[in-house]
Structures are given as structure tokens and as C-alpha cells.
Amino acid sequence: MARKKKEDPIEEGSGYNWMDTYGDLVTNLLCFFVMLYAFSSVDSAKWEKIVQAFTGDSGSAPVMAFDIGFAREEAISPVDPMINYENRSEQSDGSNRDKVNIEENEEEARLSGIFDKLYEKLQIFIAENGLEGDMTLIREDDVITIRFGEVFLFESGKAHLKYESLDLLEKIVALIGENVEAIEKVGIQGHTDNVPIHSMEFKSNWELSTARAASTLQKVLEYGAIDPKYLTASGCGEYWPVDTNETKEGRARNRRVDFVIEKIQFD
């Protein structure tokens, strides 16, 4: 009996070959509709030329897709009109930062010069008015201290300024005010010796020193030469002596009012 011929098995995956053809069809349809959408905004004259080009009409003229002159001359600038290419190049090499640093250094040097001039003017004022015995001028880096002796400004144990000292005090305050742009602040400090005080007006050296600083500050404000924002006042009592309290002369030097002038600082 003849044996039946065995059928060849179906190759694995051969049942899916139709999907490749279907995928190509869908892709072509998608491209076709994309082209239709792209051409939907083209005017009738250009559309006619495109049709002629596709149909092989030798008389058709080439279609201008875009202005070549525009592409050559203005290809970059319309991309982002907010970009300043000059500033970008300056920032890239740090020239802007260097310029700012130079300007800050020049301003700092200018103000330092003003502060130095203030010190010189105060020296000249003290010498011309013969005040070396009543006032001391001290310069420490960025701080100028004008030290007024007690006898120049006050009667012993009192906090009211002497009338005869007011004219000279006003002139000194005016010098400071003329150079205030180079000044950070002016601290007015009252100081005493270590001899306890017990009076109807003051119960301690703290109160006396504070009252003298406040009295001096009030007079400076009346002159109007220095903006109040630059001014502070404090009483230091007997605790910041500049000389010994064991001698009469030392105690006299400790009884004082200091103007501590600080130069403006740059970060």
C-alpha cells in the first residue's frame, strides 16, 4: 500500500509576513496625508507648478521653496532677537567682571583718599588753634579717633558742654560732615576715671559717662552737619582707660569724650 506523502510543516513565523506589507501601506498613507496637509496652505499658482513638476511637464518652472537671499543674509539673527551677541562675548572672556572690579577699586581708592584728607585737615585744625593740650588725634588703619579732654568740654562732674568750647566743636563737626561719604559711622563715647561719683545728678560713673556722650551727641545733631544715621553714643564708665588711674594726671586723661570715626568698608 502506498504511503501517504507527509505534508511539509509550516515555517515558524511565516503566517505573519502579511503584516510587513500592511505596515508599509499604512506608512505610505501617513506620508501621503502629511504631504496633503503640508500643501494645504500653498496658493493655487504654486500648487499648479508642483503638479506640473510631478507630471513631468518639461515646461514647468522650478518651485522656489524659500528665499535664498534671506537664508544667506539673515539666517542667524531671527533665531532669537533677545540674544545680545556682543554681551555674550564680553561675558565669555570675563571683561564685564573685570570692568566692575576696576570701577570698585577706583571708588575704594577715591574714598580712602578722602579719609586720609580728613585726618590731615584735623591735624592742621588742631595745630592752627593750639589745641594740642586739649585734644589728641589718633590714626589706626581705618579708624580716626578725636580725643577731647574733660576740661575742654565739661566742668568736673558735669554733663553740660562748656559754652566756650562750642565754636571749636562746631568747626570740627563741620570738617567731619564735609568728608562723610568716606565714613561708615561716628561713635561718640563718654569715659571717666575710676573714682566713684555720688551726687544728686549722677549715682555712678556709668551715668556720668553716658550723660556726657548723649549731651555731646545732641549738640552735634543741632549743628546739622552730619546725618544722624552715621552717629551713635555710648557711655563706657571707667572701664576703657587710656592711662593709669594711680596718678592725678592719668585720671585726668581718662576723663574724656572720644569721637571714633570709622572709614567705610568694601566687601
mmCIF file of all heavy atoms in Angstrom, residues 37-77:
data_model
loop_
_atom_site.group_PDB
_atom_site.id
_atom_site.type_symbol
_atom_site.label_atom_id
_atom_site.label_comp_id
_atom_site.label_asym_id
_atom_site.label_seq_id
_atom_site.Cartn_x
_atom_site.Cartn_y
_atom_site.Cartn_z
ATOM 1 N N TYR A 37 -1.455 67.737 3.988
ATOM 2 C CA TYR A 37 -1.576 68.794 4.995
ATOM 3 C C TYR A 37 -0.557 69.906 4.748
ATOM 4 O O TYR A 37 -0.847 71.089 4.883
ATOM 5 C CB TYR A 37 -1.365 68.207 6.391
ATOM 6 C CG TYR A 37 -1.435 69.237 7.485
ATOM 7 C CD1 TYR A 37 -2.647 69.695 7.953
ATOM 8 C CD2 TYR A 37 -0.264 69.768 8.037
ATOM 9 C CE1 TYR A 37 -2.722 70.649 8.942
ATOM 10 C CE2 TYR A 37 -0.323 70.720 9.025
ATOM 11 C CZ TYR A 37 -1.554 71.156 9.477
ATOM 12 O OH TYR A 37 -1.613 72.104 10.463
ATOM 13 N N ALA A 38 0.653 69.498 4.340
ATOM 14 C CA ALA A 38 1.697 70.494 4.096
ATOM 15 C C ALA A 38 1.353 71.386 2.918
ATOM 16 O O ALA A 38 1.651 72.585 2.908
ATOM 17 C CB ALA A 38 3.032 69.797 3.854
ATOM 18 N N PHE A 39 0.716 70.810 1.907
ATOM 19 C CA PHE A 39 0.379 71.584 0.714
ATOM 20 C C PHE A 39 -0.925 72.359 0.853
ATOM 21 O O PHE A 39 -1.281 73.136 -0.015
ATOM 22 C CB PHE A 39 0.263 70.655 -0.510
ATOM 23 C CG PHE A 39 1.578 70.063 -0.938
ATOM 24 C CD1 PHE A 39 1.674 68.737 -1.335
ATOM 25 C CD2 PHE A 39 2.723 70.840 -0.911
ATOM 26 C CE1 PHE A 39 2.878 68.194 -1.734
ATOM 27 C CE2 PHE A 39 3.933 70.294 -1.316
ATOM 28 C CZ PHE A 39 4.023 68.976 -1.721
ATOM 29 N N SER A 40 -1.618 72.158 1.971
ATOM 30 C CA SER A 40 -2.948 72.773 2.101
ATOM 31 C C SER A 40 -2.877 74.292 2.154
ATOM 32 O O SER A 40 -3.832 74.976 1.823
ATOM 33 C CB SER A 40 -3.645 72.250 3.356
ATOM 34 O OG SER A 40 -2.902 72.624 4.510
ATOM 35 N N SER A 41 -1.697 74.856 2.628
ATOM 36 C CA SER A 41 -1.567 76.310 2.734
ATOM 37 C C SER A 41 -0.888 76.932 1.518
ATOM 38 O O SER A 41 -0.638 78.124 1.490
ATOM 39 C CB SER A 41 -0.778 76.666 3.998
ATOM 40 O OG SER A 41 0.507 76.095 3.921
ATOM 41 N N VAL A 42 -0.551 76.111 0.521
ATOM 42 C CA VAL A 42 0.131 76.638 -0.669
ATOM 43 C C VAL A 42 -0.904 77.290 -1.587
ATOM 44 O O VAL A 42 -1.993 76.748 -1.807
ATOM 45 C CB VAL A 42 0.864 75.505 -1.409
ATOM 46 C CG1 VAL A 42 1.548 76.038 -2.654
ATOM 47 C CG2 VAL A 42 1.863 74.820 -0.478
ATOM 48 N N ASP A 43 -0.569 78.419 -2.154
ATOM 49 C CA ASP A 43 -1.537 79.083 -3.033
ATOM 50 C C ASP A 43 -1.678 78.307 -4.339
ATOM 51 O O ASP A 43 -0.860 77.455 -4.699
ATOM 52 C CB ASP A 43 -1.113 80.534 -3.286
ATOM 53 C CG ASP A 43 0.253 80.652 -3.926
ATOM 54 O OD1 ASP A 43 0.520 79.857 -4.846
ATOM 55 O OD2 ASP A 43 1.043 81.519 -3.487
ATOM 56 N N SER A 44 -2.734 78.611 -5.093
ATOM 57 C CA SER A 44 -3.101 77.836 -6.276
ATOM 58 C C SER A 44 -2.022 77.875 -7.358
ATOM 59 O O SER A 44 -1.778 76.881 -8.046
ATOM 60 C CB SER A 44 -4.423 78.365 -6.854
ATOM 61 O OG SER A 44 -4.295 79.752 -7.166
ATOM 62 N N ALA A 45 -1.331 78.988 -7.496
ATOM 63 C CA ALA A 45 -0.311 79.106 -8.534
ATOM 64 C C ALA A 45 0.848 78.151 -8.267
ATOM 65 O O ALA A 45 1.313 77.431 -9.141
ATOM 66 C CB ALA A 45 0.185 80.543 -8.624
ATOM 67 N N LYS A 46 1.290 78.132 -6.999
ATOM 68 C CA LYS A 46 2.394 77.237 -6.656
ATOM 69 C C LYS A 46 1.963 75.773 -6.744
ATOM 70 O O LYS A 46 2.727 74.895 -7.118
ATOM 71 C CB LYS A 46 2.913 77.563 -5.248
ATOM 72 C CG LYS A 46 3.704 78.864 -5.188
ATOM 73 C CD LYS A 46 4.361 79.030 -3.818
ATOM 74 C CE LYS A 46 5.224 80.278 -3.803
ATOM 75 N NZ LYS A 46 5.887 80.467 -2.515
ATOM 76 N N TRP A 47 0.747 75.505 -6.326
ATOM 77 C CA TRP A 47 0.241 74.136 -6.409
ATOM 78 C C TRP A 47 0.251 73.638 -7.847
ATOM 79 O O TRP A 47 0.619 72.498 -8.122
ATOM 80 C CB TRP A 47 -1.155 74.079 -5.815
ATOM 81 C CG TRP A 47 -1.804 72.724 -5.957
ATOM 82 C CD1 TRP A 47 -2.760 72.346 -6.826
ATOM 83 C CD2 TRP A 47 -1.479 71.556 -5.206
ATOM 84 N NE1 TRP A 47 -3.087 71.034 -6.683
ATOM 85 C CE2 TRP A 47 -2.298 70.513 -5.673
ATOM 86 C CE3 TRP A 47 -0.564 71.298 -4.182
ATOM 87 C CZ2 TRP A 47 -2.258 69.233 -5.151
ATOM 88 C CZ3 TRP A 47 -0.531 70.019 -3.659
ATOM 89 C CH2 TRP A 47 -1.362 68.996 -4.153
ATOM 90 N N GLU A 48 -0.159 74.509 -8.780
ATOM 91 C CA GLU A 48 -0.187 74.132 -10.190
ATOM 92 C C GLU A 48 1.212 73.791 -10.678
ATOM 93 O O GLU A 48 1.426 72.815 -11.426
ATOM 94 C CB GLU A 48 -0.768 75.285 -11.024
ATOM 95 C CG GLU A 48 -0.918 74.976 -12.510
ATOM 96 C CD GLU A 48 -1.933 73.867 -12.764
ATOM 97 O OE1 GLU A 48 -2.835 73.699 -11.924
ATOM 98 O OE2 GLU A 48 -1.795 73.172 -13.779
ATOM 99 N N LYS A 49 2.196 74.554 -10.269
ATOM 100 C CA LYS A 49 3.571 74.289 -10.664
ATOM 101 C C LYS A 49 4.075 72.973 -10.102
ATOM 102 O O LYS A 49 4.801 72.217 -10.760
ATOM 103 C CB LYS A 49 4.478 75.436 -10.204
ATOM 104 C CG LYS A 49 4.213 76.744 -10.932
ATOM 105 C CD LYS A 49 5.136 77.828 -10.430
ATOM 106 C CE LYS A 49 4.858 79.161 -11.160
ATOM 107 N NZ LYS A 49 5.742 80.237 -10.674
ATOM 108 N N ILE A 50 3.695 72.683 -8.834
ATOM 109 C CA ILE A 50 4.111 71.427 -8.230
ATOM 110 C C ILE A 50 3.508 70.240 -8.975
ATOM 111 O O ILE A 50 4.174 69.234 -9.239
ATOM 112 C CB ILE A 50 3.701 71.397 -6.745
ATOM 113 C CG1 ILE A 50 4.529 72.430 -5.956
ATOM 114 C CG2 ILE A 50 3.908 70.018 -6.148
ATOM 115 C CD1 ILE A 50 4.103 72.605 -4.534
ATOM 116 N N VAL A 51 2.223 70.359 -9.330
ATOM 117 C CA VAL A 51 1.553 69.289 -10.068
ATOM 118 C C VAL A 51 2.236 69.050 -11.408
ATOM 119 O O VAL A 51 2.475 67.923 -11.831
ATOM 120 C CB VAL A 51 0.056 69.626 -10.265
ATOM 121 C CG1 VAL A 51 -0.596 68.626 -11.211
ATOM 122 C CG2 VAL A 51 -0.650 69.641 -8.919
ATOM 123 N N GLN A 52 2.587 70.170 -12.071
ATOM 124 C CA GLN A 52 3.260 70.045 -13.368
ATOM 125 C C GLN A 52 4.626 69.373 -13.211
ATOM 126 O O GLN A 52 5.043 68.586 -14.048
ATOM 127 C CB GLN A 52 3.414 71.419 -14.005
ATOM 128 C CG GLN A 52 2.087 72.039 -14.438
ATOM 129 C CD GLN A 52 2.276 73.457 -14.937
ATOM 130 O OE1 GLN A 52 3.418 73.946 -15.003
ATOM 131 N NE2 GLN A 52 1.175 74.119 -15.300
ATOM 132 N N ALA A 53 5.293 69.697 -12.108
ATOM 133 C CA ALA A 53 6.603 69.086 -11.880
ATOM 134 C C ALA A 53 6.492 67.588 -11.678
ATOM 135 O O ALA A 53 7.303 66.806 -12.178
ATOM 136 C CB ALA A 53 7.267 69.735 -10.675
ATOM 137 N N PHE A 54 5.460 67.150 -10.946
ATOM 138 C CA PHE A 54 5.271 65.724 -10.706
ATOM 139 C C PHE A 54 4.799 64.986 -11.958
ATOM 140 O O PHE A 54 5.083 63.804 -12.130
ATOM 141 C CB PHE A 54 4.267 65.504 -9.565
ATOM 142 C CG PHE A 54 4.886 65.569 -8.205
ATOM 143 C CD1 PHE A 54 4.640 66.630 -7.363
ATOM 144 C CD2 PHE A 54 5.747 64.563 -7.765
ATOM 145 C CE1 PHE A 54 5.204 66.689 -6.126
ATOM 146 C CE2 PHE A 54 6.318 64.615 -6.517
ATOM 147 C CZ PHE A 54 6.057 65.681 -5.685
ATOM 148 N N THR A 55 4.065 65.656 -12.850
ATOM 149 C CA THR A 55 3.539 65.005 -14.065
ATOM 150 C C THR A 55 4.560 64.958 -15.178
ATOM 151 O O THR A 55 4.302 64.408 -16.249
ATOM 152 C CB THR A 55 2.288 65.748 -14.557
ATOM 153 O OG1 THR A 55 2.612 67.112 -14.792
ATOM 154 C CG2 THR A 55 1.169 65.664 -13.526
ATOM 155 N N GLY A 56 5.730 65.589 -14.965
ATOM 156 C CA GLY A 56 6.790 65.501 -15.963
ATOM 157 C C GLY A 56 6.686 66.499 -17.066
ATOM 158 O O GLY A 56 7.296 66.338 -18.124
ATOM 159 N N ASP A 57 5.927 67.553 -16.857
ATOM 160 C CA ASP A 57 5.779 68.608 -17.866
ATOM 161 C C ASP A 57 7.091 69.369 -17.953
ATOM 162 O O ASP A 57 7.512 70.030 -17.003
ATOM 163 C CB ASP A 57 4.627 69.530 -17.478
ATOM 164 C CG ASP A 57 4.324 70.547 -18.578
ATOM 165 O OD1 ASP A 57 5.116 70.621 -19.537
ATOM 166 O OD2 ASP A 57 3.304 71.245 -18.449
ATOM 167 N N SER A 58 7.771 69.271 -19.125
ATOM 168 C CA SER A 58 9.082 69.912 -19.276
ATOM 169 C C SER A 58 9.010 71.417 -19.260
ATOM 170 O O SER A 58 10.010 72.096 -19.064
ATOM 171 C CB SER A 58 9.729 69.460 -20.595
ATOM 172 O OG SER A 58 8.911 69.823 -21.702
ATOM 173 N N GLY A 59 7.838 71.959 -19.432
ATOM 174 C CA GLY A 59 7.722 73.424 -19.452
ATOM 175 C C GLY A 59 7.557 74.015 -18.077
ATOM 176 O O GLY A 59 7.448 75.229 -17.930
ATOM 177 N N SER A 60 7.505 73.169 -17.068
ATOM 178 C CA SER A 60 7.293 73.705 -15.712
ATOM 179 C C SER A 60 8.565 74.371 -15.205
ATOM 180 O O SER A 60 9.665 73.913 -15.466
ATOM 181 C CB SER A 60 6.888 72.581 -14.763
ATOM 182 O OG SER A 60 7.901 71.599 -14.720
ATOM 183 N N ALA A 61 8.344 75.425 -14.467
ATOM 184 C CA ALA A 61 9.476 76.162 -13.887
ATOM 185 C C ALA A 61 9.784 75.610 -12.500
ATOM 186 O O ALA A 61 8.907 75.078 -11.831
ATOM 187 C CB ALA A 61 9.130 77.646 -13.795
ATOM 188 N N PRO A 62 11.030 75.745 -12.040
ATOM 189 C CA PRO A 62 11.360 75.259 -10.697
ATOM 190 C C PRO A 62 10.608 76.042 -9.630
ATOM 191 O O PRO A 62 10.377 77.228 -9.776
ATOM 192 C CB PRO A 62 12.883 75.508 -10.592
ATOM 193 C CG PRO A 62 13.160 76.577 -11.598
ATOM 194 C CD PRO A 62 12.195 76.346 -12.702
ATOM 195 N N VAL A 63 10.187 75.331 -8.590
ATOM 196 C CA VAL A 63 9.408 75.957 -7.500
ATOM 197 C C VAL A 63 10.376 76.462 -6.446
ATOM 198 O O VAL A 63 11.245 75.725 -5.967
ATOM 199 C CB VAL A 63 8.444 74.927 -6.877
ATOM 200 C CG1 VAL A 63 7.660 75.581 -5.755
ATOM 201 C CG2 VAL A 63 7.510 74.385 -7.950
ATOM 202 N N MET A 64 10.234 77.746 -6.061
ATOM 203 C CA MET A 64 11.085 78.353 -5.047
ATOM 204 C C MET A 64 10.523 78.007 -3.670
ATOM 205 O O MET A 64 9.444 78.465 -3.298
ATOM 206 C CB MET A 64 11.126 79.876 -5.227
ATOM 207 C CG MET A 64 12.032 80.581 -4.221
ATOM 208 S SD MET A 64 13.762 80.171 -4.414
ATOM 209 C CE MET A 64 14.124 81.004 -5.948
ATOM 210 N N ALA A 65 11.207 77.166 -2.948
ATOM 211 C CA ALA A 65 10.732 76.764 -1.620
ATOM 212 C C ALA A 65 10.952 77.852 -0.586
ATOM 213 O O ALA A 65 10.165 78.028 0.330
ATOM 214 C CB ALA A 65 11.440 75.484 -1.188
ATOM 215 N N PHE A 66 12.054 78.593 -0.669
ATOM 216 C CA PHE A 66 12.329 79.700 0.257
ATOM 217 C C PHE A 66 13.268 80.678 -0.413
ATOM 218 O O PHE A 66 13.854 80.389 -1.445
ATOM 219 C CB PHE A 66 12.919 79.197 1.584
ATOM 220 C CG PHE A 66 14.211 78.433 1.425
ATOM 221 C CD1 PHE A 66 15.416 79.107 1.442
ATOM 222 C CD2 PHE A 66 14.193 77.061 1.255
ATOM 223 C CE1 PHE A 66 16.583 78.415 1.287
ATOM 224 C CE2 PHE A 66 15.381 76.375 1.097
ATOM 225 C CZ PHE A 66 16.578 77.041 1.114
ATOM 226 N N ASP A 67 13.373 81.848 0.203
ATOM 227 C CA ASP A 67 14.196 82.917 -0.336
ATOM 228 C C ASP A 67 15.655 82.655 0.023
ATOM 229 O O ASP A 67 16.047 82.725 1.196
ATOM 230 C CB ASP A 67 13.736 84.264 0.236
ATOM 231 C CG ASP A 67 14.443 85.430 -0.424
ATOM 232 O OD1 ASP A 67 15.443 85.186 -1.108
ATOM 233 O OD2 ASP A 67 13.978 86.572 -0.241
ATOM 234 N N ILE A 68 16.492 82.359 -0.983
ATOM 235 C CA ILE A 68 17.891 82.049 -0.722
ATOM 236 C C ILE A 68 18.625 83.248 -0.131
ATOM 237 O O ILE A 68 19.462 83.127 0.756
ATOM 238 C CB ILE A 68 18.586 81.602 -2.025
ATOM 239 C CG1 ILE A 68 17.938 80.317 -2.534
ATOM 240 C CG2 ILE A 68 20.080 81.419 -1.809
ATOM 241 C CD1 ILE A 68 18.480 79.837 -3.857
ATOM 242 N N GLY A 69 18.272 84.437 -0.591
ATOM 243 C CA GLY A 69 18.917 85.645 -0.060
ATOM 244 C C GLY A 69 18.674 85.799 1.427
ATOM 245 O O GLY A 69 19.553 86.150 2.200
ATOM 246 N N PHE A 70 17.444 85.486 1.839
ATOM 247 C CA PHE A 70 17.115 85.580 3.270
ATOM 248 C C PHE A 70 17.938 84.585 4.073
ATOM 249 O O PHE A 70 18.450 84.870 5.146
ATOM 250 C CB PHE A 70 15.620 85.308 3.460
ATOM 251 C CG PHE A 70 15.204 85.194 4.903
ATOM 252 C CD1 PHE A 70 14.975 86.324 5.656
ATOM 253 C CD2 PHE A 70 15.063 83.949 5.500
ATOM 254 C CE1 PHE A 70 14.592 86.212 6.976
ATOM 255 C CE2 PHE A 70 14.689 83.838 6.812
ATOM 256 C CZ PHE A 70 14.447 84.964 7.567
ATOM 257 N N ALA A 71 18.078 83.372 3.507
ATOM 258 C CA ALA A 71 18.826 82.339 4.212
ATOM 259 C C ALA A 71 20.289 82.721 4.375
ATOM 260 O O ALA A 71 20.915 82.410 5.369
ATOM 261 C CB ALA A 71 18.707 81.013 3.473
ATOM 262 N N ARG A 72 20.838 83.426 3.372
ATOM 263 C CA ARG A 72 22.251 83.797 3.450
ATOM 264 C C ARG A 72 22.499 84.986 4.353
ATOM 265 O O ARG A 72 23.459 85.034 5.105
ATOM 266 C CB ARG A 72 22.775 84.099 2.038
ATOM 267 C CG ARG A 72 22.880 82.857 1.143
ATOM 268 C CD ARG A 72 23.292 83.241 -0.249
ATOM 269 N NE ARG A 72 23.442 82.066 -1.103
ATOM 270 C CZ ARG A 72 23.629 82.132 -2.412
ATOM 271 N NH1 ARG A 72 23.697 83.322 -3.004
ATOM 272 N NH2 ARG A 72 23.759 81.036 -3.131
ATOM 273 N N GLU A 73 21.593 85.956 4.278
ATOM 274 C CA GLU A 73 21.849 87.227 4.967
ATOM 275 C C GLU A 73 21.279 87.260 6.377
ATOM 276 O O GLU A 73 21.810 87.916 7.253
ATOM 277 C CB GLU A 73 21.258 88.385 4.156
ATOM 278 C CG GLU A 73 21.902 88.543 2.778
ATOM 279 C CD GLU A 73 21.229 89.622 1.965
ATOM 280 O OE1 GLU A 73 20.356 90.301 2.527
ATOM 281 O OE2 GLU A 73 21.570 89.782 0.795
ATOM 282 N N GLU A 74 20.169 86.580 6.615
ATOM 283 C CA GLU A 74 19.524 86.690 7.916
ATOM 284 C C GLU A 74 19.238 85.316 8.503
ATOM 285 O O GLU A 74 18.190 85.082 9.092
ATOM 286 C CB GLU A 74 18.223 87.478 7.791
ATOM 287 C CG GLU A 74 18.428 88.874 7.231
ATOM 288 C CD GLU A 74 17.124 89.657 7.235
ATOM 289 O OE1 GLU A 74 16.315 89.437 8.125
ATOM 290 O OE2 GLU A 74 16.937 90.456 6.328
ATOM 291 N N ALA A 75 20.170 84.428 8.335
ATOM 292 C CA ALA A 75 19.927 83.069 8.791
ATOM 293 C C ALA A 75 20.046 82.926 10.302
ATOM 294 O O ALA A 75 19.474 82.029 10.889
ATOM 295 C CB ALA A 75 20.900 82.118 8.110
ATOM 296 N N ILE A 76 20.807 83.810 10.966
ATOM 297 C CA ILE A 76 21.074 83.660 12.393
ATOM 298 C C ILE A 76 20.268 84.628 13.239
ATOM 299 O O ILE A 76 19.617 84.235 14.198
ATOM 300 C CB ILE A 76 22.578 83.853 12.677
ATOM 301 C CG1 ILE A 76 23.368 82.754 11.972
ATOM 302 C CG2 ILE A 76 22.853 83.848 14.164
ATOM 303 C CD1 ILE A 76 24.858 82.879 12.140
ATOM 304 N N SER A 77 20.264 85.911 12.856
ATOM 305 C CA SER A 77 19.662 86.924 13.722
ATOM 306 C C SER A 77 18.200 86.689 14.063
ATOM 307 O O SER A 77 17.797 86.979 15.191
ATOM 308 C CB SER A 77 19.840 88.314 13.099
ATOM 309 O OG SER A 77 19.268 88.354 11.814
#
